[in-house]
Amino acid sequence: MKKAMMILLAGAMLLAAFMILPIHGEAKLYDNVIRLHVLANSDSEEDQALKLRVRDAVLQKTDALLKDAASREEAAEILQASLGELEAVAKAAVADAGYGNAVTVTLSRESYPTRQYEQLAFPAGEYLSLRVMIGEAEGQNWWCVLFPPLCMTAATADRDTEALCLSAGLTGEQYRMIADTESTKYKLRFKILEVAEEIFQ
């Protein structure tokens, strides 16, 4: 009974949100983005440092792989075909650091909470995700947006974020939704989406 009431309440909230806050295309936003999720072996200082080394190696490789990808579908195909290569790169980074942890790299849909990256924020939801799992994968993890290539590294810091998003298929409204992180309208919409994601899982 309680769950049914919560579902009804969430439905009413969502309906009110869509009537009051006319922001369209969240689902399309999810379908235009690929996230990167790197999970450390543990929370030890050594494992967290190793996570960042693996992240850097994977980003260097994905930057090269995806530099000419014109759509999420094309980027996904490239990543799927390159999983073995990406896993080898991650394992090499682990070995070069003097560790023997196993590494697994997968491409699958994964639920994310609302997450802010530098000047952008992405709503909670299910996104296609490149997951790099180091060892037991039980430590603090690291997220970014792999496509469009928004992971902030030395190689990407000078890129035009808006142009990258629009070229990847996001609309101007979708870009404003993730870029206008101070807007009360967008913050409320993100929160409603996050609550709905939790209830309807």
Side-chain angles (χ1 to χ4, degrees):
M1 183 69 175
K2 184 178 178 182
K3 186 174 181 181
M5 288 297 293
M6 288 180 67
I7 291 173
L8 284 173
L9 180 60
M13 288 173 62
L14 285 171
L15 181 60
F18 283 107
M19 292 173 64
I20 298 169
L21 306 174
I23 307 169
H24 306 290
E26 288 91 349
K28 188 65 176 175
L29 172 64
Y30 304 146
D31 290 341
N32 281 330
V33 171
I34 300 175
R35 309 284 284 268
L36 174 63
H37 191 188
V38 183
L39 297 91
N41 179 59
S42 77
D43 284 338
S44 73
E45 186 176 337
E46 294 79 11
D47 281 342
Q48 287 298 309
L50 179 62
K51 173 191 70 178
L52 298 180
R53 289 186 65 146
V54 171
R55 173 204 66 185
D56 291 346
V58 169
L59 282 178
Q60 185 175 14
K61 187 63 180 178
T62 56
D63 275 352
L65 287 171
L66 301 180
K67 62 183 176 66
D68 296 322
S71 68
R72 203 287 296 264
E73 291 71 22
E74 186 178 346
E77 288 178 6
I78 293 169
L79 291 172
Q80 186 66 51
S82 305
L83 287 178
E85 193 174 352
L86 289 165
E87 193 166 290
V89 165
K91 287 179 177 177
V94 169
D96 288 348
Y99 294 89
N101 304 78
V103 181
T104 303
V105 179
T106 64
L107 185 67
S108 60
R109 298 197 71 83
E110 183 179 10
S111 291
Y112 283 80
T114 296
R115 188 75 180 176
Q116 185 153 348
Y117 306 96
E118 300 294 334
Q119 76 273 29
L120 301 178
F122 282 77
E126 192 175 83
Y127 294 82
L128 187 62
S129 180
L130 183 72
R131 300 185 78 211
V132 181
M133 293 163 281
I134 307 168
E136 298 299 320
E138 294 181 349
Q140 293 182 45
N141 47 46
W142 189 87
W143 290 286
C144 76
V145 179
L146 196 59
F147 184 86
L150 302 177
C151 296
M152 292 296 112
T153 67
T156 63
D158 60 347
R159 294 179 183 173
D160 184 332
T161 301
E162 182 175 6
L164 283 171
C165 289
L166 297 179
S167 68
L170 273 66
T171 65
E173 179 64 22
Q174 289 167 344
Y175 177 75
R176 286 188 291 277
M177 182 173 68
I178 62 174
D180 193 0
T181 57
E182 297 306 312
S183 166
T184 302
K185 178 175 71 173
Y186 290 111
K187 284 181 177 178
L188 177 58
R189 186 61 166 250
F190 277 18
K191 186 61 181 176
I192 291 171
L193 288 169
E194 190 168 355
V195 170
E197 180 76 12
E198 292 174 0
I199 290 174
F200 292 112
Q201 276 182 345

